[in-house]
Amino acid sequence: MSTDSENPEITAGAFQAGDLVLLIDRKRRKYLITLQDGGEFHSHAGIIQHDDMIGQPEGSEFRTAQKGGVYLAIRPTLGDYILTMKRGATPIYPKDIGAILTHADIRPGARVVEAGIGSGALTIALLQAVGESGRVYSYENREDFAALAQGNVSEFLPAESANRLTVHVSDIYSDGINEDDVDRVVLDLPEPSRVIPHAREAMRPGGIFLAFVPTTLQLHRLWQQLDADPVFDLIDQFEIALRQWDAGPQTLRPAHRMVAHTGFITTARRLADPT
C-alpha cells in the first residue's frame, strides 16, 4: 500500500489503493470493498470506478454514471467489518465484544490467550486493545477456521498489528495451553469448563478468566467448575442486550427489532496458589 509521503498529491486521510472502504446506499445497505487501481464496484445501480474514489476524502459521496445511484464512502469501523466480513463460525457481535474487552480488562501490554478463533472478530479487537507491546495467542482446532480468521485479521489490521498474533491449530481441551504467565484467558468454546485446569496452570496470579457461552446449561456448568477450583474467585455472570432507537423529525421510538440474547459472559479472577 502506498503512503501519503510517497504520493504528495493525495490529501492526508484520503482513500488510497489497498484501503478497505464501506459503501452505503440511500437505503443504508452496506458493501465492503478493497480499493484497487483500475478496479470497479458493481451494483444494481450501476458502476463506480475505484480510481474515482482514490485520492478523495473519507465521507465523500459517489454517483454511478448509469442509474445515478449515490453511495457514501467511509472507512469501516470494527463493528462494520464484523457484520460484513467473511465468516466461518458465527462471530461474537460488537455489543458483546465491548463488554468482553472491558470486563476482561484487556489493556496495552497484556498477554492474552484466546480460544477458539472462529472468524477472527474478537481476535481483531484483542489485538487492537493489547497494543504494540501486547500479544495474542489464539487456539483453534479447525485449520480452515484458523486460515479464514487470519485472513480477516490481515485484511482489517496493519501488518504490524497482525504480526502480534500467534495461532495454534490445536485442541485446547486435550493439548492445553503452551504459554505461561499469561494475563488473560478468553474463551468462545462449547465447553469452556474443560479449559479451567489448563488456564489455572497458564495464568499468573491476578489474571482474569473470561468465557462466552450461549446457553444457561453451559453457564451453570461453568460456574460449578470455577466455584470448585480454589484458585478462582470473584465469579461474575451476565448478558448484554442492545436496543436501538428510531428517530425522525416528529418521532423518537424504540426500534421494532432489538439484539437481545446472543450469549452469556462469565469472568473470574485467578488467585495466588494456596499455601
Side-chain angles (χ1 to χ4, degrees):
M1 183 185 301
S2 60
T3 64
D4 292 342
S5 60
E6 294 169 343
N7 296 276
E9 73 279 4
I10 295 179
T11 304
F15 293 128
Q16 301 179 46
D19 282 355
L20 278 176
V21 174
L22 191 70
L23 296 176
I24 306 173
D25 67 14
R26 293 302 192 195
K27 294 185 177 180
R28 293 295 187 259
R29 290 174 294 203
K30 297 179 179 180
Y31 307 86
L32 185 68
I33 65 171
T34 300
L35 290 181
Q36 301 174 351
D37 290 321
E40 294 180 335
F41 167 71
H42 292 252
S43 74
H44 65 284
I47 300 172
I48 297 176
Q49 303 294 329
H50 288 201
D51 289 343
D52 292 339
M53 290 183 271
I54 293 173
Q56 298 303 311
E58 182 177 5
S60 298
E61 289 189 339
F62 299 93
R63 187 179 299 273
T64 63
Q66 295 80 3
K67 299 181 180 180
V70 177
Y71 291 84
L72 172 67
I74 58 174
R75 288 185 174 87
T77 65
L78 176 56
D80 294 324
Y81 185 70
I82 289 171
L83 298 177
T84 54
M85 70 184 187
K86 299 175 184 176
R87 298 184 183 184
T90 301
I92 297 180
Y93 286 97
K95 76 178 183 70
D96 297 308
I97 287 179
I100 288 170
L101 295 179
T102 300
H103 289 273
D105 192 33
I106 307 299
R107 59 176 63 185
R111 299 176 69 242
V112 181
V113 167
E114 174 203 28
I117 196 171
S119 298
L122 180 58
T123 312
I124 294 171
L126 292 172
L127 285 166
Q128 288 182 321
V130 301
E132 296 179 1
S133 56
R135 190 85 193 178
V136 176
Y137 306 90
S138 292
Y139 287 76
E140 174 56 57
N141 65 349
R142 289 188 52 169
E143 191 168 351
D144 56 338
F145 282 3
L148 176 65
Q150 286 178 284
N152 286 335
V153 169
S154 297
E155 183 178 52
F156 188 77
L157 293 179
E160 58 269 21
S161 296
N163 289 339
R164 296 195 296 274
L165 171 66
T166 299
V167 177
H168 301 289
V169 181
S170 173
D171 185 343
I172 197 172
Y173 296 145
S174 59
D175 300 336
I177 297 172
N178 295 338
E179 293 74 30
D180 55 20
D181 201 34
V182 300
D183 302 297
R184 309 287 185 259
V185 171
V186 179
L187 306 175
D188 177 21
L189 297 168
E191 300 180 84
S193 57
R194 294 176 60 187
V195 184
I196 292 173
H198 303 313
R200 174 179 181 156
E201 297 302 317
M203 295 176 71
R204 65 165 177 82
I208 298 176
F209 174 99
L210 184 145
F212 181 83
V213 296
T215 73
T216 54
L217 292 177
Q218 294 166 302
L219 186 71
H220 192 218
R221 187 178 304 117
L222 181 57
W223 182 90
Q224 290 173 320
Q225 295 296 321
L226 286 169
D227 185 62
D229 194 314
V231 305
F232 286 102
D233 201 353
L234 303 178
I235 304 167
D236 192 21
Q237 298 185 300
F238 58 94
E239 64 177 333
I240 304 293
L242 174 68
R243 183 174 70 176
Q244 293 181 309
W245 285 65
D246 293 331
Q250 303 297 327
T251 183
L252 178 64
R253 58 177 176 77
H256 292 302
R257 299 177 61 188
M258 68 178 292
V259 183
H261 175 75
T262 48
F264 300 100
I265 294 172
T266 297
T267 61
R269 296 301 290 264
R270 204 278 192 208
L271 308 182
D273 292 321
T275 57

